[in-house]
Structure formats: C-alpha cells, structure tokens
C-alpha cells in the first residue's frame, strides 16, 4: 500500500476496489465493490442485472458487498477465521460496479488534480413518518418548501456524471415518501450511477420490496437502535416502528434486496450492541454498521447521552474484536478514529494492517467529507456530509461539479496539513483525520481537533 505525502493511503494503485463503505450518515448505506470482474454481471456493466445472475435478487451466496470468498482472503471485512462466510448478495460487488472509476472521473482527476466524488448522499426529501430523537435534520412529516423537483434532480445528475459515476444514496427524511423515487432511481441507472436507498423500512411492504428489486436497488440500509420494540420505538418517536421496520427488512430480503442495519450508539444502547448484532444475524442481513452520534439537529439535545472519548474507544475496540468472528460486514461510521484503533490493536497482535489481511479497513480512512463523499440537501445545498452544518453552495444556482471543484471548505478538507491541535500533530491523521462535523459543531472550527478522541499523539504537548 502506497501513501500520499500527507500520510493518507494512496488508492490510485488499487484499480479494482472502491472506498464504498467510507462515509454515510443517518439511514445511509455503503455498498461494496467487485474485486476485478464478477461473473454474472449485467452485460455492458449496467448497474442492474437479472435475477439469478448478478442481480441482488439472485441466488443466496452471491457476492457480498465488499466481500470475498468464504473462509479466505475476505477483502471486505478482513481478518476473520476460515469458515466465516461473509459472502452475501446485495451490493455493488454482485453487479461489478465501481463508483468513481469511470472515464469521466479519471478525466476529471487528471484535469483538476481533485478526486471525483465516489459516494453522494442525497436527501431527496426531508419529510419523514418517524420522529427520531437523534435526527440530524430534525425531520417531521409534511411538506417542505423548496425541495428539488424531479427535473432539477435529473439536471443535477446530468452534471454529476460529467465528473464521476458515483453511488448515489437516496435518503431523507424517508425517501420512500417521495412518489417519484422510481423515476429518480431509473434515471440515475440510465446515466451510469448506482442508486441505493437509506430508509427506516416501515413502508416496505412485499409489493414495495418487489419494486426495489425490479428497479435494481442492490441494497437498502435500515436503522435499528435497540434490540426490543419498546426501546427502539421510544427512540424513534413512533409506536410500532420496530415491528414495521423488522417486517420491512424481511420483505426486502425475501425480494432479494440486500440489507444493512445501522445502529446509532449512545450511552443508552452501547451495552446492547451484542444483542442488536444478534438480531441482525437472525434477520440474515448483509452488514452491521455502528454510527457514533454527531450532535446536530435533534441530536444536539442528546449531548448528555453521547459517549465520552473513553466510551468511544471501548465500542470501537468491541467492533474490531467482534467482526473477527461475525459473518456480517462491519463498518463503524462517523468514527474516523476507528482506523487508528485497528492499527494499534493489530500492532499488539503482531500484525500489519494490510489489504490482504484487513481488506477494506486497510484501504479506507476516516472522514472523507469533501474528499470522495458529499451530501446534497432536500433544497439543493451542498455539504461535506449531512452532519457538517455548513452550506457550500446550492445546485439550483451553481453546478454541483463547480462547487465540488472550487469550494474553499472542500479544498481545506482535502489538505490534512491544515488540521489543528492534536489532530494536526497526530501520527495517525493520514488514516483518521478526525470528525470534521463534530469539530465544527462543538468548536465552531471544522479544522479543530476531534473533540471525542481519547488518543494523545506521541510528543503532543498541549
């Protein structure tokens, strides 16, 4: 693995793998990528496919998103014993899609020296049928003035594909409340992008699940925050949400759509992660992603429930150990210091974090906002991520490609030498970078040190 001058992994020499699990916020999804050619892909490389042949509705045991072959050299989850089978269907691996790897992306980087966006989280509506305690958008059910129209969304996709062929995460709010979502999905496919859906799954009936499969959605992500209905429903603000989400997951799996479970970790549920993991296993989902709370939106009211820095270390250490024996693909999110922790723990075990041993964990890094990931709000505001509460331009007024290229904030985030405090001094900044959204929210400076990191860099003297 080569490294850039600032210590970050140099991914230019990895032509068959994408950093697809790298960044996603509430109810968002990472989609793993094929390593080399994948048999059964749609002719011509279309992101879709046919049942039983690369489509997410194909036979069980198809390619796991970011996964490898059972019991050997797993590129997506890494360092698991022989016999642990992470090869599941439902992701870009099963259809041979490589975001940000197309001719437009390569030409853009050659022209500008800036990496093309590989994952775009797009809040196609802010309306939501739940009332979650931690919602970064403080979403509610109803009409939000100024939401992008279908024509505006299509025009924006037209511009995006001039510089990249990204995964587009259709999220909200609850994106399935948008009646033209199928038009958006089909248009993204037509233009060469890969749409996936972040949903609370309460609306996924067998009929809607069949539509997701029919429209070639390889994976959905669903947030489950507690292992019991009473606790989950209280957190999500609606009675019955747990049972509806669980049934929605079952319906999606029955239709052949991959499912990822996301869990936002607080003091209330940190000790229940094992039980939530076991619930995910019982549902036969494909991935289990733990999200560390970022206190924005309604989440700012939960500051007293946020784990302290030492609590973060404990949870991320649990994730490192648990994924060794779990058949699920793990991906801690909004926790860039995980990539420091795995290197520290691997060193104690006498290991190096290599692509062969640790797979995607060795090839991705922490905060990717503005680097290969960004967020588009319901009204067209562009942000480094959904939690980074700073609007860097609006696609109604300025093309996405122009904002991505010219924004001072984006360009600051791409330069790790600008990081301040102990983040700037940290020997792990190349693989971590700290959460820039947390720094912004709690200090007012997006380049300040990560407020919830317990690590003291070598030689750091405050």
């Amino acid at each position: 693995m080569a490294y850039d001058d600032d210590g970050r992994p140099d991914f230019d020499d990895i032509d068959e793998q994408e950093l697809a699990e790298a960044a996603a916020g509430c109810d968002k999804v990472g989609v793993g990528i094929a390593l080399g050619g994948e048999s059964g892909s749609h002719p011509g490389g279309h992101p879709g496919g046919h049942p039983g042949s690369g489509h997410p509705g194909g036979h069980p045991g198809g390619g796991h998103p970011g996964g490898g072959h059972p019991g050997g050299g797993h590129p997506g989850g890494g360092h698991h014993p022989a016999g642990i089978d992470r090869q599941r269907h439902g992701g870009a691996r099963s259809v041979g899609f490589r975001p940000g790897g197309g001719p437009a992306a390569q030409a853009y980087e050659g022209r500008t020296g800036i990496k093309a966006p590989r994952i775009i989280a797009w809040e196609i509506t802010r309306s939501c049928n739940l009332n979650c305690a931690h919602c970064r958008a403080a979403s509610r059910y109803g009409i939000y003035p100024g939401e992008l129209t279908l024509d505006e969304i299509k025009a924006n996709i037209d511009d995006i594909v001039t510089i990249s062929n990204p995964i587009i995460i259709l999220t909200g709010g609850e994106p399935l409340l948008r009646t033209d979502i199928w038009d958006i999905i089909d248009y993204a496919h037509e233009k060469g992008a890969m749409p996936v859906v972040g949903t609370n799954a309460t609306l996924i009936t067998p009929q809607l699940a069949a539509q997701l499969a029919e429209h070639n959605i390889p994976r959905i992500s669903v947030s489950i925050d507690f292992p019991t209905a009473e606790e989950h429903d209280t957190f999500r603000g609606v009675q019955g949400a747990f049972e509806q989400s669980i049934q929605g997951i079952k319906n999606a799996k029955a239709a052949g759509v991959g499912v990822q479970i996301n869990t936002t970790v607080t003091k209330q549920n940190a000790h229940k992660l094992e039980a939530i993991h076991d619930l995910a296993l019982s549902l036969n989902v494909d991935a289990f992603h733990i999200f560390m709370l970022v206190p924005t939106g309604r989440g700012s009211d939960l500051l007293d429930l946020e784990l302290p820095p030492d609590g973060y270390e404990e949870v991320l250490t649990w994730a490192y150990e648990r994924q060794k024996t779990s058949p699920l693909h793990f991906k801690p999110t909004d926790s860039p210091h995980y990539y420091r922790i795995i290197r520290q723990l691997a060193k104690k075990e006498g290991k190096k974090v290599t692509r062969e041993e640790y797979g995607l964990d060795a090839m991705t890094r922490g905060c990717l906002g503005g680097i290969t990931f960004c967020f588009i709000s319901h009204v067209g505001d562009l942000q480094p991520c959904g939690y980074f509460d700073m609007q860097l331009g609006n696609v109604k007024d300025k093309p996405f490609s122009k904002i991505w290229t010219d924004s001072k904030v984006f360009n600051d985030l791409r330069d790790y030498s600008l990081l301040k405090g102990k983040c700037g001094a940290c020997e792990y900044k190349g693989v971590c970078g700290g959460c820039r959204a947390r720094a912004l929210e709690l200090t007012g400076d997006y380049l300040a040190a990560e407020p919830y990191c317990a690590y003291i860099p070598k030689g750091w003297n405050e």
Side-chain angles (χ1 to χ4, degrees):
M1 171 72 64
Y3 283 82
D4 294 329
D5 293 338
D6 61 2
R8 290 179 288 179
D10 179 3
F11 304 105
D12 293 336
D13 62 345
I14 304 173
D15 60 3
E16 69 276 80
Q17 181 61 286
E18 163 52 31
L19 313 179
E21 300 286 40
C26 173
D27 287 335
K28 296 184 175 61
V29 58
V31 178
I33 305 306
L35 295 175
E38 182 76 6
S39 62
S41 298
H42 188 285
H46 186 278
H50 297 295
S53 175
H55 182 272
H59 61 84
H64 177 274
H69 297 292
H74 178 268
H79 59 90
H80 61 283
I84 295 298
D85 181 1
R86 284 197 176 100
Q87 186 176 0
R88 297 174 183 268
H89 61 82
R93 175 169 175 77
S94 62
V95 293
F97 184 77
R98 182 172 176 263
Q106 294 175 21
Y108 172 78
E109 185 172 351
R111 185 170 67 249
T112 65
I114 298 171
K115 293 189 182 299
R118 291 167 170 167
I119 309 173
I120 299 172
W122 198 332
E123 180 188 59
I124 59 173
T125 183
R126 186 158 283 189
S127 182
C128 189
N129 59 326
L130 299 185
N131 191 33
C132 304
H134 66 308
C135 181
R136 55 141 195 95
S139 292
R140 55 175 172 76
Y141 184 75
I143 297 173
Y144 281 83
E147 289 195 340
L148 295 176
T149 66
L150 177 60
D151 285 344
E152 287 171 329
I153 288 174
K154 286 182 175 181
N156 201 34
I157 291 173
D158 288 342
D159 177 66
I160 288 169
V161 298
T162 65
I163 65 168
S164 189
N165 58 315
I167 290 172
I168 298 178
I169 305 165
L170 302 178
T171 185
E174 174 46 62
L176 295 176
L177 287 174
R178 183 146 178 162
T179 58
D180 58 2
I181 187 172
W182 311 114
D183 296 312
I184 297 170
I185 289 170
D186 291 346
Y187 196 77
H189 275 311
E190 179 185 331
K191 294 298 179 176
M194 166 66 82
V196 293
V197 177
T199 171
N200 60 48
T202 59
L203 305 177
I204 300 181
T205 62
Q207 293 75 22
L208 196 143
Q211 283 182 285
L212 289 168
E214 179 185 347
H215 289 268
N216 297 320
I217 292 296
R219 181 184 281 190
I220 62 171
S221 66
V222 182
S223 288
I224 300 292
D225 299 298
F226 291 89
T228 66
E230 181 180 1
E231 296 168 304
H232 178 88
D233 290 354
T234 299
F235 195 68
R236 292 280 157 179
V238 174
Q239 289 300 112
F242 181 82
E243 293 300 333
Q244 291 170 0
S245 293
I246 296 300
Q247 188 58 54
I249 289 170
K250 292 178 179 177
N251 292 337
K253 290 296 296 182
V257 178
V259 178
Q260 166 186 313
I261 283 183
N262 297 341
T263 296
T264 297
V265 183
T266 67
K267 291 177 182 177
Q268 291 180 316
N269 66 354
H271 59 295
K272 299 183 179 184
L273 289 177
E274 190 71 46
I276 302 170
H277 170 270
D278 290 347
L279 172 63
L281 274 180
S282 72
L283 294 169
N284 195 37
V285 302
D286 305 279
F288 179 55
H289 290 195
I290 57 174
F291 286 67
M292 311 312 285
L293 178 69
V294 180
T296 58
R298 280 197 291 267
S300 61
D301 297 331
L302 301 181
L303 274 174
D304 59 331
L305 295 180
E306 186 157 23
L307 293 173
D310 288 345
Y312 274 72
E313 298 281 313
E314 291 176 11
V315 167
L316 296 175
T317 298
W318 172 86
Y320 174 85
E321 297 295 341
R322 189 65 183 87
Q323 71 170 340
K324 292 179 180 179
T325 56
S326 174
L328 302 178
H329 178 256
F330 274 61
K331 169 64 174 68
T333 303
D334 304 324
S335 1
H337 26 319
Y338 178 67
Y339 299 97
R340 162 184 56 82
I341 289 171
I342 63 172
R343 283 161 176 81
Q344 291 174 309
L345 295 177
K347 185 176 180 180
K348 288 182 179 179
E349 296 171 356
K351 298 179 180 178
K352 290 185 177 180
V353 180
T354 63
R355 172 183 174 184
E356 292 73 23
E357 176 75 4
Y358 284 78
L360 204 57
D361 283 344
M363 295 188 291
T364 189
R365 53 184 179 251
C367 180
L368 286 175
I371 300 171
T372 54
F373 174 85
C374 69
F375 172 86
I376 305 174
S377 81
H378 64 304
V379 294
D381 289 325
L382 204 58
Q383 301 173 202
C385 77
Y387 299 116
F388 195 110
D389 194 17
M390 183 183 291
Q391 291 70 48
L392 308 184
N394 189 286
V395 297
K396 294 179 181 178
D397 307 319
K398 192 174 184 180
F400 172 98
S401 57
K402 189 77 171 164
I403 302 170
W404 177 262
T405 304
D406 296 342
S407 165
K408 178 185 183 301
V409 174
F410 277 157
N411 283 297
D412 284 350
L413 296 174
R414 293 163 187 157
D415 184 355
Y416 276 25
S417 71
L418 299 178
L419 294 177
K420 301 175 183 177
K422 68 176 185 177
C423 278
C426 186
E427 64 270 29
Y428 291 102
K429 70 179 178 181
V431 293
C432 172
C435 177
R436 300 298 99 218
R438 271 193 209 96
L440 176 64
E441 182 69 17
L442 297 177
T443 73
D445 183 354
Y446 56 83
L447 295 172
E450 155 72 64
Y452 285 90
C453 178
Y455 182 65
I456 304 299
K458 294 178 181 178
W460 168 245
N461 187 336
E462 187 176 1

